[in-house]
Amino acid sequence: MSRHRYVADFETTVYPGQESTEVWAAGITEIGDLNPDNVTIFNSIDEFMTSFKRLGFLKWSSVDIYFHNLKFDGSFILNWLLKHKHHALVMSDADIYFPKTKHMYSGSFKYLCSDRGQFFSITYKLGNTVIRFLDSAKLFPMSIEEIGNSFGTVNKKLSIEYEGVRWAGCAIKEHEKEYLQNDLLVPAEALDAFFSEGHTKSTIASCCMEEFINICGGKKEFYYLFPKLKDVILPCGINADEYIRPSYKGGYCYCPKQTHIKNPGVTLDVNSLYPFVMEQFELPYGNPTYHTKEEEFRHRDGRYAFIHFKANFRLKKGKLPTIQIKNSPLYPSNEWLKTSYILKNGKYYANALIGGIKIESRQEMTLTEIDFFLLKEHYDIYDFEVLDWIDFPAQKGMFSSYMEKYFDIKMNTRGGRRQIAKLFLNSLYGKFGTSEDSSFKFCLLDSDDKLKWYTVTEKNKETYHVAVASAITSLARYWTITHAQKNIKYFRYADTDSLHLECSLEEVKGVELHDTKIGAWACECKWDEGVFVRQKTYIERTGNVIDITAAGMGKKAKRNLCLAYKLSHGGDKKEILKEVSEKKLNAKFIENGFELEDFKKGLVVPQNMKLKNIPGGLLLYEQDFELK
């Protein structure tokens, strides 16, 4: 089967009062060919979508075309296909599905979009050729500018004025052509380096899993180590995947309270947190052994356990919270809880009436043995009852060959190979936690020629060994929480692999400091002042420069905030206003200035970029960001 790979990109109309959108420039180049003269440029999507025969695609059985952000560019492709070609979607009274590619006929198309709007592919069959539009951001989760810098590509990201009077068929200026060429050549060079390593899957996690299976010696050996837990039915009547999945959670991100710190502090980051955990700790594998509540729960050497129990809990004085309860009307799903008891009228209760239904505060939970250890260390526990528990054989070193390969590449190479190694070190563990949820979206054109999306619930995705994924994330939280607890006097914020402490580096306790050693903590920065609002929302100031993290705030809005602060604190007004003019930032907002005290609920920052669905495709437009 011959496979040819290309990179493509669209430039789309942006102008004030816009009510529809279209492609005014499109480009395509073959991966492996970095000659700008071999970039083909079109000035409408119609030209692009009807060029495939002229480009020679029908000589081949398959063609992959990568866009960097298929959600955006793919909206224009779907608009075009829905107007001109046959939807391969099958809708019947009994089912809604897309057929297999081999059953599609010429002129038909299908696509894979998750129920959360994650776009993976659009498949278009032309003659006997299968053309797949794919998302290179699923392989390189970074901007094109970041790809150019981290891969050290020959070409670099350029800039143009996005807003202007343009339309399908308009003349494309030379500097616009050069901009489009570089937006193709940068990812093309990175993808060429990636594919030359032998990787074939369409997401970085899938590539990691394929590589790890090969290192294991093939699928037979892999599934011997990590059997499919959905197929293991426990005596309690559910499968092992279903039993363990409630214990699988993400990183530890915690802000104790909103605070403005006017003293110096430090930010520490763990070097390669997840690879460190996968290398240095015993992890579960194989099939579980089931234990009834009559068998005392305990840790056994060479085993890794998950416990299913009921309990109330209350945080001990001076301890960090470590428990979240998901999918409960009683607690916010992202809050680290201080107690399970129900707050009502300023008091805590073991029971409460909610909607006329009596609800008890005692929670039913499944935790890894590490999370259960943290629960006992950090909370007083009441009304405790073990329901049952399971444990697996466990050992160190199952990932050593994989990790050693990519650590060696990371430490001894530069540019593309080093960046690929970093991606492979950090992207494997999550694939083990893949959920069976395969719910997807399909779209139709509404009466206004806009894409209208519908969700289909489905659960038939292949799962792996969620026990090892849950153990890895649990141990990563443990590493962050225990080091934060050692510095509780200074602790102000944590996010997965980082600690933000109000102290000098010399005052940090119980933390191994090293710039590169795996599992040690590197000093990311020393800051002079900080404002911590909530999870994923804080500012740290070093000198006259502020570093902003704010969930939902884009680069342009952040730059407005940075320049407003800089101007308020002695920055070069001429240089600032020059940047404002060149990047079309909000001069009025910047000239009004910004103080760190203003970084709180109610702050409004202009020029936050958002996507809107309009006739023709998606529009990237400016909207105010409000801190809520």
Side-chain angles (χ1 to χ4, degrees), residues 476-506:
R477 288 192 301 275
Y478 166 81
W479 197 249
T480 301
I481 290 167
T482 52
H483 285 87
Q485 189 65 54
K486 291 175 183 178
N487 293 275
I488 191 66
K489 177 181 176 182
Y490 310 122
F491 174 76
R492 300 298 175 261
Y493 183 81
D495 190 352
T496 308
D497 62 351
S498 69
L499 296 180
H500 303 247
L501 307 174
E502 185 185 353
C503 64
S504 67
L505 199 59
E506 292 71 28

Side-chain angles (χ1 to χ4, degrees), residues 292-580:
T292 64
K293 63 182 180 180
E294 281 73 28
E295 298 180 72
E296 181 185 358
F297 175 77
R298 66 191 187 282
H299 169 77
R300 296 188 291 174
D301 291 341
R303 308 288 294 182
Y304 194 99
F306 297 81
I307 179 171
H308 178 211
F309 65 96
K310 285 185 176 183
N312 275 311
F313 52 86
R314 196 188 304 272
L315 191 66
K316 295 176 182 178
K317 186 177 180 180
K319 292 290 188 177
L320 290 168
T322 68
I323 292 294
Q324 289 178 328
I325 303 293
K326 304 288 187 181
N327 305 314
S328 169
L330 298 177
Y331 319 105
S333 62
N334 68 338
E335 184 176 312
W336 297 95
L337 299 176
K338 295 181 179 179
T339 184
S340 61
Y341 290 107
I342 302 167
L343 180 63
K344 191 173 182 181
N345 300 324
K347 294 184 178 181
Y348 287 96
Y349 297 91
N351 299 282
L353 282 176
I354 298 178
I357 300 174
K358 185 178 180 181
I359 304 291
E360 70 167 334
S361 64
R362 191 169 72 141
Q363 292 299 303
E364 183 176 342
M365 295 181 280
T366 302
L367 298 180
T368 68
E369 64 174 49
I370 294 297
D371 282 339
F372 185 64
F373 165 78
L374 284 173
L375 175 72
K376 292 192 297 181
E377 282 283 306
H378 287 242
Y379 294 86
D380 293 316
I381 302 174
Y382 309 93
D383 313 313
F384 179 72
E385 177 190 3
V386 174
L387 301 175
D388 49 23
W389 56 286
I390 62 175
D391 63 356
F392 290 81
Q395 65 180 36
K396 285 174 60 174
M398 293 183 291
F399 298 97
S400 292
S401 296
Y402 177 95
M403 292 296 168
E404 287 167 7
K405 173 181 176 177
Y406 288 107
F407 271 124
D408 182 63
I409 295 171
K410 179 184 173 183
M411 298 302 294
N412 296 298
T413 64
R414 293 174 178 263
R417 290 202 74 206
R418 185 174 189 276
Q419 184 60 33
I420 290 167
K422 289 172 67 176
L423 290 168
F424 270 74
L425 286 168
N426 290 300
S427 304
L428 173 62
Y429 77 91
K431 193 67 176 175
F432 281 91
T434 299
S435 164
E436 68 175 355
D437 188 355
S438 57
S439 299
F440 64 92
K441 287 181 179 287
F442 71 90
C443 64
L444 301 171
L445 286 178
D446 67 12
S447 57
D448 296 324
D449 273 353
K450 291 192 299 186
L451 293 178
K452 187 172 183 179
W453 291 92
Y454 304 85
T455 300
V456 178
T457 302
E458 186 179 72
K459 291 188 177 183
N460 60 15
K461 189 186 292 183
E462 180 182 13
T463 61
Y464 294 93
H465 202 280
V466 69
V468 71
S470 184
I472 290 167
T473 55
S474 175
L475 284 160
R477 288 192 301 275
Y478 166 81
W479 197 249
T480 301
I481 290 167
T482 52
H483 285 87
Q485 189 65 54
K486 291 175 183 178
N487 293 275
I488 191 66
K489 177 181 176 182
Y490 310 122
F491 174 76
R492 300 298 175 261
Y493 183 81
D495 190 352
T496 308
D497 62 351
S498 69
L499 296 180
H500 303 247
L501 307 174
E502 185 185 353
C503 64
S504 67
L505 199 59
E506 292 71 28
E507 292 174 293
V508 176
K509 301 180 186 300
V511 172
E512 182 180 9
L513 296 170
H514 195 281
D515 287 343
T516 58
K517 183 180 177 182
I518 182 174
W521 297 75
C523 181
E524 179 70 16
C525 74
K526 298 178 181 180
W527 39 271
D528 301 314
E529 188 177 1
V531 179
F532 298 90
V533 178
R534 59 169 182 260
Q535 293 178 17
K536 307 289 186 183
T537 307
Y538 61 91
I539 287 180
E540 290 171 341
R541 176 185 66 80
T542 305
N544 198 23
V545 177
I546 57 172
D547 183 32
I548 304 166
T549 295
M553 187 189 294
K555 289 183 178 179
K556 201 168 185 179
K558 286 181 181 178
R559 195 59 189 156
N560 278 321
L561 212 54
C562 287
L563 291 180
Y565 182 84
K566 192 172 183 179
L567 188 61
S568 298
H569 293 81
D572 187 322
K573 186 172 182 178
K574 185 177 178 180
E575 286 297 315
I576 291 170
L577 293 180
K578 180 183 176 183
E579 181 178 344
V580 169

Side-chain angles (χ1 to χ4, degrees), residues 95-112:
D95 209 356
I96 300 175
Y97 64 94
F98 290 101
K100 292 183 178 180
T101 303
K102 65 181 180 181
H103 296 143
M104 293 170 60
Y105 55 83
S106 182
S108 65
F109 67 95
K110 63 178 182 176
Y111 42 92
L112 178 56

